[in-house]
Amino acid sequence: MLNNPAHTLWLCSMANFINAADRVIMPIAIVQMTDEFKWDMHGQGWVLSSFAVGYISSQVIGASATRRYGGKKVLMMSVLLWSLSTFLVPLFAHSIYSLIVARVVLGLGEGLGLPTIFHIFSHGIPSEERSRAFGYLVAAGSIGQTLASVICPQLSWSMMFYLFGSIGFIWVFFWLYFFKEPRGSVDEEFVEPPKVNNHNVNWREFISHWPLWSIYIAHFSMNWSNYIILQWLPTYLTRTLGAGKTHIMLTAVPYLMNSVVGVVAGHCADSLITHYKWTVLSVRRLMTSIGLMGPGIFILFFSAVNDLPLAVFFVTICLGLSACNSSGHLSNHAEVAPSHAGITFAISNTLATVPGILCGPLTAELVTQSHGRWFPVFIIAAGVNFVGAMVYLSQSAASQLL
């Protein structure tokens, strides 16, 4: 018996809410922690990027484990692992090396999560509802980031981790009670079966098609600018624009805009397909173009201003437009590889986590070598976005490949 798609969407969206909230705590807490532990810029960079080292290591493992053990078990273990590592951060913070290990474990847990959710969605969400489903999924993550950005500046840095780590344990209870596994470990069920259900796909097939590479590159490009904002926005606003402790709550505004635009874009995309008879490919390309080129332009505007409210406005538009990618290339996995959406997303997200590893130390090095100037960081981010948009526009497809 298949789960109700609405129940599946709600539970998975709540998991992504916790995922995103836990991820944004450290960029906020590190301002207080740096003052207490006297870390230099490079130390901060490695603490922020160590998450991505674990995250990149577990993507394909998560997708493969989901096919073998089922989404219920893997997602439960994922949330438990990242919630425990969040909760225990204050115990490791006295040593920067122990903290880096804890951040790697957090990344390992979160890396299992999204490939599992993508696999669950490809089985349980009909194609005509998929854009808004991914919109709600991304929006839930943005709401998690928004609440964390509002609440955390009011707390001591240790209480941030204790509070949000505990929320994950509560989610596990609801997941175990309400979610029923829609299949066994071998026979898969789909709410909308793919045209060709081929389980024996050679691994080379996942890297042999340009439409897949267009998704991978678009995802990489989106994450390059998003990781810079996620990891460094509180530090940039504090150290460069003179934001005070209460001003750090302004970092919630971009995430709020991201959640609103993600939902609106999802409904618009599905409406274009069902009511206005646009092709799926045209909609995916339109949303990806907005989601990459728009942020590329506004991150340049953001870097050019020294006024705090105006900077927050530009970065809000930047992250808001980025949410259109949820109805673009992120929804494209279930169309080009419906039986393997978890694996294609895992490969995509593995490659797209490389910016998360590089952005910490690379940003620290660029800012240090530029004597405190951040403009080179944002120029590179904009250029990567523009290249990703061009590749996706020219190489993407919406027909089944695998």
Side-chain angles (χ1 to χ4, degrees), residues 4-5 20 35-36 58-59 90 114 123 140 145 171 195 213 232 256 258 283 324 331 333 379 383:
N4 184 317
D35 292 338
E36 180 175 337
S58 57
Q59 298 287 315
L114 279 179
H123 288 68
Q145 292 171 317
W171 178 91
K195 295 176 182 178
W213 273 106
W232 290 104
L256 181 61
N258 185 270
V283 171
C324 292
S331 296
H333 291 275
I379 280 283

Side-chain angles (χ1 to χ4, degrees), residues 127-208:
S127 60
E128 67 273 11
E129 299 177 13
R130 215 165 269 153
S131 294
R132 58 180 176 269
F134 282 107
Y136 281 116
L137 180 72
V138 172
S142 298
I143 292 170
Q145 292 171 317
T146 301
L147 288 181
S149 299
V150 170
I151 294 171
C152 287
Q154 312 305 317
L155 305 174
S156 66
W157 66 263
S158 58
M159 187 56 64
M160 301 178 196
F161 296 101
Y162 289 140
L163 174 62
F164 283 91
S166 300
I167 295 174
F169 303 141
I170 297 172
W171 178 91
V172 169
F173 169 78
F174 284 96
W175 180 250
L176 289 173
Y177 186 79
F178 287 106
F179 187 80
K180 308 301 180 186
E181 188 69 75
R183 62 174 183 83
S185 60
V186 178
D187 299 320
E188 297 185 272
E189 280 189 276
F190 291 82
V191 69
E192 185 179 87
K195 295 176 182 178
V196 178
N197 198 352
N198 183 10
H199 295 288
N200 299 315
V201 174
N202 189 289
W203 274 96
R204 287 192 298 271
E205 291 293 311
F206 292 103
I207 56 173
S208 300

Side-chain angles (χ1 to χ4, degrees), residues 39-89:
W39 297 330
D40 61 16
M41 191 75 172
H42 288 91
Q44 295 173 60
W46 282 112
V47 169
L48 291 170
S49 287
S50 55
F51 162 85
V53 175
Y55 194 68
I56 200 173
S57 304
S58 57
Q59 298 287 315
V60 176
I61 295 173
S64 301
T66 302
R67 291 179 60 84
R68 182 170 182 179
Y69 301 108
K72 183 170 185 174
K73 292 179 181 178
V74 176
L75 192 56
M76 179 195 71
M77 292 303 300
S78 173
V79 178
L80 272 177
L81 185 59
W82 86 55
S83 297
L84 185 62
S85 62
T86 298
F87 189 85
L88 295 179
V89 160

Side-chain angles (χ1 to χ4, degrees), residues 92-103:
F92 294 98
H94 63 282
S95 166
I96 194 170
Y97 300 107
S98 299
L99 181 59
I100 286 172
V101 171
R103 294 277 294 164

Side-chain angles (χ1 to χ4, degrees), residues 139-386:
S142 298
I143 292 170
Q145 292 171 317
T146 301
L147 288 181
S149 299
V150 170
I151 294 171
C152 287
Q154 312 305 317
L155 305 174
S156 66
W157 66 263
S158 58
M159 187 56 64
M160 301 178 196
F161 296 101
Y162 289 140
L163 174 62
F164 283 91
S166 300
I167 295 174
F169 303 141
I170 297 172
W171 178 91
V172 169
F173 169 78
F174 284 96
W175 180 250
L176 289 173
Y177 186 79
F178 287 106
F179 187 80
K180 308 301 180 186
E181 188 69 75
R183 62 174 183 83
S185 60
V186 178
D187 299 320
E188 297 185 272
E189 280 189 276
F190 291 82
V191 69
E192 185 179 87
K195 295 176 182 178
V196 178
N197 198 352
N198 183 10
H199 295 288
N200 299 315
V201 174
N202 189 289
W203 274 96
R204 287 192 298 271
E205 291 293 311
F206 292 103
I207 56 173
S208 300
H209 301 279
W210 263 109
L212 284 173
W213 273 106
S214 73
I215 297 174
Y216 302 158
I217 293 170
H219 197 170
F220 179 97
S221 302
M222 175 188 76
N223 272 18
W224 188 281
S225 55
N226 284 357
Y227 267 115
I228 289 175
I229 294 170
L230 174 69
Q231 292 181 354
W232 290 104
L233 182 59
T235 298
Y236 180 80
L237 295 183
T238 302
R239 309 300 187 199
T240 303
L241 300 183
K245 183 177 179 180
T246 57
H247 294 135
I248 296 302
M249 289 191 297
L250 292 173
T251 59
V253 179
Y255 300 125
L256 181 61
M257 178 63 75
N258 185 270
S259 66
V260 172
V261 174
V263 172
V264 172
H267 281 277
C268 288
D270 284 343
S271 180
L272 288 174
I273 294 170
T274 57
H275 298 302
Y276 295 95
K277 307 305 179 185
W278 281 44
T279 64
V280 172
L281 180 58
S282 297
V283 171
R284 300 294 177 244
R285 287 179 172 178
L286 171 66
M287 291 299 173
T288 301
S289 298
I290 296 172
L292 290 178
M293 299 187 74
I297 293 170
F298 279 94
I299 202 169
L300 293 178
F301 292 164
F302 169 73
S303 68
V305 299
N306 294 318
D307 180 71
L308 180 60
L310 191 57
V312 171
F313 172 77
F314 284 140
V315 80
T316 297
I317 301 299
C318 178
L319 264 191
L321 293 178
S322 180
C324 292
N325 287 299
S326 63
S327 304
H329 63 84
L330 291 177
S331 296
N332 204 189
H333 291 275
E335 291 141 5
V336 297
S339 298
H340 308 279
I343 294 177
T344 60
F345 177 79
I347 295 171
S348 180
N349 211 24
T350 297
L351 296 173
T353 305
V354 172
I357 298 174
L358 296 179
C359 282
L362 180 60
T363 297
E365 184 64 22
L366 287 173
V367 173
T368 301
Q369 293 299 322
S370 301
H371 306 289
R373 295 175 67 247
W374 287 72
F375 191 66
V377 175
F378 299 123
I379 280 283
I380 293 173
V384 171
N385 270 27
F386 296 148

